[in-house]
Amino acid sequence: MYIPAHFAIKHTQDLHAIIRAHPLGALVTLGPEGLDANHIPFELDASQGEQGLLTAHVARANPVWGQCQGSVDVLVIFRGNQSYISPNWYPSKHETHRQVPTWNYEVVHVHGRLTVMDEEKFVRGVVARLTREHEVNEPRPWKMGDSPPDYIDGMLRAIVGIEIEIKRIEGKAKLSQNRENRDRLNAADVLLTHGNDDLARAMRNAK
C-alpha cells in the first residue's frame, strides 16, 4: 500500500484500535483460480506474538480453508471511517479556487500466516468470544446456551476456524493532514452536520 509519510499510522495500538472498531476484514488469498477475497469478522488478541493474532471462522462449504492447508501467507484489509470530501468545505478554496475533491479514510493492512484450526473446541471458543463482544450492548445479550445444544453442535460442525499470526501490520489515515488547519477543521465540522461523527473526530485529532 502506498503510504505518504504524513498519512502513516505509526503506533501499533492505533492500528489495533481500527481493527477492533471495524472487525469485518477482507481476507485476501491466492488460490488455484487467482486472488480471492472473503469478508469475515475477526477477533484480535494483541497479547499473542509480537504484533497480535487474528482468529475467525468460515463456512465449511467455503473452499478458502481447503486451499490454505498448512501455513500460508495472506493479507487482511480492515477499512475504518471514510467519506467523500468536497473542496467547498475548505475555506481556502473560496479564496484561491485551488482545491479539488478527495476521499478521506482509515485503513489497516495485516500481512500474516494463516493456519486452519478444524477443532470443535477452537471453533466454539471463537464463536463464544465474538458473540460476547458484539452482543454486549443488547438489552438481553444472546448466548449459545439460548439455543438447543444439538442445534448449536450442528451449526459448529458447519464452520471451520482459522487463525492468522500477524507478521507485518501497516495503516493509513488520510485525514486532510496535508491541508491548512482551518481547511481540515472546517471539513470535519461539515462531516459532523452529515452525521459522520467518527471521521470528523479523527480529522480533528489528526496531526
Side-chain angles (χ1 to χ4, degrees), residues 1-3 12 15-16 19 50-54 73-78 108-113 164-171:
M1 174 169 58
Y2 170 61
I3 310 178
T12 301
L15 297 165
H16 285 174
I19 294 174
E50 293 185 3
Q51 304 199 61
L53 182 74
L54 296 174
D73 293 329
V74 298
L75 168 67
V76 187
I77 300 171
F78 295 93
V108 174
H109 285 192
V110 170
H111 302 261
R113 298 281 289 176
I164 299 171
E165 180 185 3
I166 300 176
K167 296 295 188 181
R168 180 164 60 93
I169 184 170
E170 59 183 358

Side-chain angles (χ1 to χ4, degrees), residues 20 24 31 43 54 58 62 66 73 76 139 146 149 159 172 197:
R20 290 197 175 96
L24 184 68
E43 175 193 18
L54 296 174
V58 298
N62 189 331
D73 293 329
V76 187
D146 292 345
I159 59 179
K172 183 176 182 179
D197 296 12

